[in-house]
Amino acid sequence: MDKQIVAKKLRLLRGDRKREEVAIACGITAQAIAMYESGKRIPSDDIKVKIANFFGTTVQQIFFEI
């Protein structure tokens, strides 16, 4: 899993939405979203599922496919 590829995918998925919107929907902080989008951290498995569900995609597509 390449953190920078994941970060880019997350930024693209979020698009024009505010980080706060994604954070609230996923039960995490906007700062956590910023860390994921900058490639500084990878979310835990349960948060990966929440993020994928929010964006209507799969964990596999976001975090494991290049």
Side-chain angles (χ1 to χ4, degrees):
M1 176 181 336
D2 184 314
K3 289 182 183 179
Q4 293 306 316
I5 292 173
V6 170
K8 183 177 181 177
K9 287 181 184 181
L10 291 172
R11 288 191 304 270
L12 288 172
L13 284 168
R14 185 169 58 84
D16 294 334
R17 297 180 185 108
K18 294 188 179 287
R19 283 188 180 128
E20 291 79 13
E21 177 185 349
V22 179
I24 289 168
C26 296
I28 55 177
T29 65
Q31 291 82 2
I33 296 291
M35 296 287 273
Y36 306 149
E37 289 182 352
S38 67
K40 293 181 181 173
R41 288 181 49 194
I42 292 291
S44 63
D45 290 346
D46 61 321
I47 300 300
K48 287 177 187 169
V49 171
K50 290 179 182 182
I51 290 171
N53 287 339
F54 177 80
F55 289 121
T57 188
T58 65
V59 170
Q60 182 73 21
Q61 288 174 323
I62 298 173
F63 296 98
F64 300 103
E65 291 180 2
I66 295 177

